[in-house]
Amino acid sequence: MRIHLVPNSHIDPVWLCDKYEGIDEVLATFRSACDRLEEYPELTFSASSLQFYEWVLEYDRPLFERIKKNIAAGRWEIVGGWWVESDSNLPSEASMRKQAKLSKAFSLKHFGVSSDVAYLPDTFGHPATLPMILSETGFKYFIFCRPGAHENSDLPSNLFWWEYKGCK
């Protein structure tokens, strides 16, 4: 049996701190991730929220270049595909589509790739329209951690197909 563990970051940059403390947290996390990638050649890493990458571009250009090299080498994967990890219950469909569009444009411009993995590890629920929104904005996969079994025991299992087949 082979087990794969992929380190990732989930950062709520302004949940319990101000914007600049959040930016510092993002920079420190991404710097540490690059250091670990240099230390362990077999390691890969994933991180979301294109807003974070814009902050790195603005405040630490050498770190941005390190991230670009790791993305090009296939060792750093941008997941999420949205500007920030949004709450998928409250924003409008138009808002989620706009986030996907802005994020794809930024990612393609700076990294030459865009994410097909939607990533919402900390949202507390998902609307029934989410598979449609994900499909129509180019996502193939969706990773989420909530609700867990302790939060909603009605889910059939922790691994399942949830797909949008489109209207015919």
Side-chain angles (χ1 to χ4, degrees):
M1 173 181 5
R2 178 180 271 186
I3 297 173
H4 295 271
L5 301 174
V6 179
N8 74 93
S9 71
H10 163 65
I11 303 169
D12 286 326
V14 293
W15 182 48
L16 294 176
C17 49
D18 71 25
K19 176 183 174 183
Y20 294 101
E21 290 170 319
I23 291 170
D24 287 344
E25 186 66 30
V26 167
L27 294 174
T29 299
F30 283 14
R31 203 172 290 118
S32 178
C34 284
D35 292 346
R36 297 300 74 73
L37 291 172
E38 290 171 8
E39 189 175 354
Y40 300 100
E42 69 284 359
L43 186 68
T44 59
F45 181 77
S46 63
S48 70
S49 302
L50 276 291
Q51 172 66 73
F52 298 169
Y53 297 91
E54 185 180 65
W55 287 339
V56 175
L57 179 61
E58 182 177 349
Y59 294 104
D60 191 339
R61 182 68 68 130
L63 177 58
F64 190 81
E65 294 303 320
R66 289 173 74 192
I67 292 169
K68 280 178 67 170
K69 286 179 185 170
N70 283 310
I71 290 170
R75 299 193 56 219
W76 183 303
E77 184 175 0
I78 299 171
V79 294
W82 289 307
W83 200 248
V84 295
E85 291 174 15
S86 69
D87 178 339
S88 61
N89 286 316
L90 296 176
S92 68
E93 179 181 331
S95 170
M96 294 183 80
R97 289 179 183 279
K98 183 70 170 183
Q99 276 207 65
K101 182 179 178 181
L102 290 171
S103 297
K104 282 183 188 294
F106 182 91
S107 187
L108 286 169
K109 176 182 177 181
H110 293 287
F111 305 119
V113 298
S114 67
S115 178
D116 61 358
V117 179
Y119 178 78
L120 292 173
D122 198 28
T123 193
F124 293 91
H126 313 283
T129 56
L130 192 56
M132 176 191 68
I133 295 167
L134 295 176
S135 176
E136 291 178 356
T137 55
F139 293 106
K140 294 180 182 177
Y141 311 101
F142 180 43
I143 297 172
F144 66 93
C145 301
R146 290 183 178 209
H150 66 287
E151 296 164 315
N152 182 350
S153 60
D154 294 336
L155 291 176
S157 73
N158 63 359
L159 183 62
F160 56 89
W161 288 104
W162 186 27
E163 61 186 336
Y164 170 67
K165 296 187 183 211
C167 297
K168 302 254 179 199

